[in-house]
Every structure is written in C-alpha cells, then in structure tokens.
Amino acid sequence: MSRIACVVGARPNHMKIKPIMDALEKRGAETILVHTGQHYDRAMNDVFFEDLGIRRPDRHLEIGSGTHAEQTARTMLAFEPVFLELRPDIVVVVGDVNSTLSCALVAAKGGALVAHVEAGLRSGDRSMPEELNRVAVDRVSDVLLVASADGMANLRAEGYRRDQTYLVGNVMVDTLMANLDRARTRPILSELGLSRRKFGLVTLHRPGNVDDEQVLTSLLAALDEVGRKLPLVFPVHPRTRARLRGRTPAGVLLMDPLGYLDFVALEDSAAIVLTDSGGVQAETTALGVPCLTLRRNTEWPVTTVEGTNWLVGCDPKRIVRAASEFLEKPPRSTMPELWDGRSRERIADVLLSVATSSDRPRPTDHYRTDQDV
C-alpha cells in the first residue's frame, strides 16, 4: 500500500487537498495530512477545515507567520524530522505558498517522489514571491499535475519531460462543484441584506497592491467610484486590514474574512468580482461570474481567454470603466478543458500509478543529515 503525505499550509491549499485525499483514500492509499501552520487563526484556517470536512491533520508543524526566509527555513526544519519518521513514498504539495516550496525541497532531498498540484502556472512576474515558489517547486518535482493547457505549454517550453507532466484539470473546481449547493443554502445574503446580482464582491491581499501606499490609494479610489453605483462587499484579509487604517470607500461593506461556504455563496451571487486572487479568478470562471483582476498579469491566463476574467491593473479610471462595461454586458464564458469536477480521480490515477511503478529507492535509504554540501 502506498503511503502518501499531503501537505497544506495556507488557506488556498485547503480546497485543493481535500478532494485529492478523498480520491486516494477511496482507492486504499494511506494518506497522511501534514499542516505546516502557515495560516493558523480561525478565520484563515479552522473554518475552512470545518466547512470542507477536512479531517484533523496527522501532524501540525505550527510554523506561524514571519518573513519569507523565516517561514521557509522554519518549515524545512520542522518538516524534516516528520518526513524522516513517516518515510512517505510520495509527498504531494499544492499551490505556491512558502510551505509548498519548503516541503518539496525536504522531500526531494530525502528521496521521496514529489508531486506538485497546479504545476506550470506562470505569471511571468518574478517580483511575486509566489512566482518564484512555483518555478522552484516545479524544478524539484517528479510529477507535475497541471490544471490547464497553457500550464502544459509553459512546462514544455522550460524543458520538462512529457512523462512527468500530466494535464488533470483544476482540482479547485472539484471542491467548488461538490459544495456549491451547500453554499447556496447559506443565509449570508439575507443577513447582509443583499440580493442576487445586485452587489459586487472584493478581495485584496497581494503585497504589490496593499503594501504600496500609492497603489492601495488608487485601488480604494476605484472601489469608491464603483461602490457609488453598486454595493460592494469586501471580506478583508488581515494584512489588508492593517493597511487600510480606517479608510472605507463609499458603498463598500468591510467585514472579517469568511469561511469557504459563505464566500462561495457571495461569489456565486455577485454581479461582478474585483480581486487580486488567483484562486478567485479560477472560481469565477467556473461559476460564470464576471471578474476584474486588479493586477497587470495573471498565473491563470486561461481565465482571460475562456473564462470571465479581465486584467485591468490598478488604474482607477480603467477599473471603473471596465466595471461599467461588465455590468452592462457580462462576458460570455466557456469552461477550460477538464474543469469538470473530476480532477481528483485523474490525480489519484497518476499518483498511484507512479507510486507502484517507480524503481526509486525508498525515502531516507540514502538520506544523511550531516553532509556538507
């Protein structure tokens, strides 16, 4: 029986790992859930476990916050002894957060197969920490599980072998489809006095948007203008809340971060979504909801070609103009290839096939912790 360690660290990871673990366990694989604790408070972690029915982690590393170097180093130090104890055949990492990179490096050096879910995503913007994480994780991974055709093209261009790249679809869509009916029964719209398609939804958390005072001021000016025409609901990320300093644009309802089901309920009912989140770009495409991405680039270009997403940058005039156009004439959407809610089965097929056919040495057979490299 294959032993597969599945790593989560931050809120975006949770909705990706749940369907994969379900599919693996259904086929008899031994799965071990390792939570690094990169996101650790209730609003950013616990409520997602509850909403999605994710079982309690088998190991919790309790890393917490810190600089990129601190998080990456502490996660590696904490994960290494767990890896050596568990000796997994495969370590599955998802997305592009610091935990993803840390655990991929430990597993690769330890001799386990490393499988990266959402491999091949590229924004082309090396100033984004997530972009550096994506590139580095793909490079040390053995199994590259790709969400869309453009990701496959990126990996081909970077020289990856065809026998290590697999187009499996977007596993976030699996979670979305599995929970959409539950989300639609949530009372959050009535609690907030909202009606379907009569409000907009906002998310902002990227450092490039919220840490730069000039950029943040421009975005708030745009939200102020759009909010005068359409009520906006803004669940505020903790890093963003600290930088708002009490500023609230007109027509914008600021609220604490939401759980998965409540957020999807709002996302599904919104007339338009304004965001800098990659995951939200993908989810709105699956839902057919108009989305304005407040960035100059995206790691999900497929959502701008086949989805409902439009890159508008941070210029207030462009954002307001695009919002007016989208509200007047919502874009038509087609679903990207294999975004069908069955990505988890394809991922499980690949992982179990690789685990049983690999002739690599058992993890830690040749692993030493005292080497000078």
Side-chain angles (χ1 to χ4, degrees), residues 103-119:
C103 294
L105 285 170
V106 169
K109 289 192 172 189
L113 292 167
V114 180
H116 185 203
V117 178
E118 291 189 345

Side-chain angles (χ1 to χ4, degrees), residues 189 193-199 269:
L189 266 70
L194 301 172
S195 300
R196 186 173 176 82
R197 302 292 184 249
K198 300 297 184 183
F199 70 95
S269 296

Side-chain angles (χ1 to χ4, degrees), residues 56-208:
R56 187 171 181 171
D58 299 291
R59 298 287 191 280
H60 201 301
L61 307 185
E62 300 181 349
I63 297 304
S65 60
T67 68
H68 290 287
E70 288 170 340
Q71 279 192 333
T72 302
R74 286 206 304 265
T75 305
M76 291 184 72
L77 288 169
F79 183 59
E80 182 181 64
V82 172
F83 173 83
L84 293 171
E85 173 195 347
L86 298 175
R87 295 167 57 89
D89 301 295
I90 302 177
V91 174
V92 179
V93 295
V94 297
D96 53 23
V97 299
N98 291 333
S99 295
T100 305
L101 174 60
S102 301
C103 294
L105 285 170
V106 169
K109 289 192 172 189
L113 292 167
V114 180
H116 185 203
V117 178
E118 291 189 345
L121 294 183
R122 300 288 185 269
S123 70
D125 183 357
R126 290 293 185 103
S127 70
M128 296 176 60
E130 297 91 343
E131 181 78 352
L132 298 176
N133 287 345
R134 294 178 200 120
V135 172
V137 173
D138 282 348
R139 187 52 61 188
V140 301
S141 294
D142 305 279
V143 182
L144 302 169
L145 300 160
V146 187
S148 55
D150 58 287
M152 293 290 283
N154 291 336
L155 295 175
R156 294 281 184 270
E158 293 173 17
Y160 288 90
R161 304 188 316 273
R162 290 185 178 274
D163 66 349
Q164 67 182 135
T165 57
Y166 303 86
L167 182 62
V168 295
N170 189 341
V171 74
M172 281 192 298
V173 176
D174 290 33
T175 298
L176 183 66
M177 291 183 175
N179 290 280
L180 187 56
D181 287 342
R182 291 174 62 214
R184 286 172 173 167
T185 66
R186 303 288 284 191
I188 188 165
L189 266 70
S190 60
E191 290 174 352
L192 297 178
L194 301 172
S195 300
R196 186 173 176 82
R197 302 292 184 249
K198 300 297 184 183
F199 70 95
L201 179 63
V202 179
T203 78
L204 283 175
H205 75 281
R206 296 281 179 185

Side-chain angles (χ1 to χ4, degrees), residues 192 194 198-204 216 218-237 240-241 244 246-256 272 274 294 319:
L192 297 178
L194 301 172
K198 300 297 184 183
F199 70 95
L201 179 63
V202 179
T203 78
L204 283 175
L216 180 58
S218 295
L219 292 173
L220 292 177
L223 296 180
D224 185 278
E225 190 70 23
V226 175
R228 294 177 189 275
K229 302 175 182 179
L230 180 76
L232 298 177
V233 179
F234 187 177
V236 186
H237 190 283
T240 307
R241 174 80 70 174
L244 290 179
R247 292 173 290 180
T248 304
V252 178
L253 171 63
L254 302 181
M255 59 191 308
D256 290 335
I272 191 170
L274 299 94
L294 310 177
I319 295 169

Side-chain angles (χ1 to χ4, degrees), residues 336-358:
E337 181 184 4
L338 300 183
W339 289 28
D340 55 7
R342 297 194 295 274
S343 295
R344 61 188 180 277
E345 284 91 356
R346 289 185 284 270
I347 291 172
D349 284 342
V350 172
L351 294 177
L352 295 178
S353 174
V354 169
T356 56
S357 65
S358 174

Side-chain angles (χ1 to χ4, degrees), residues 6-18 21-22 32-61 175 179 182 258-261:
C6 299
V7 178
V8 296
R11 174 173 171 156
N13 296 163
H14 302 337
M15 67 277 284
K16 302 166 191 174
I17 208 68
K18 163 68 170 162
M21 291 182 61
D22 287 347
I32 300 166
L33 179 59
V34 178
H35 193 325
T36 69
Q38 182 173 327
H39 280 173
Y40 50 87
D41 64 11
R42 174 173 170 75
M44 301 297 288
N45 177 71
D46 294 0
V47 70
F48 268 61
F49 271 67
E50 295 164 8
D51 281 356
L52 298 176
I54 304 174
R55 63 177 169 82
R56 187 171 181 171
D58 299 291
R59 298 287 191 280
H60 201 301
L61 307 185
T175 298
N179 290 280
R182 291 174 62 214
L258 296 169
Y260 180 77
L261 294 176

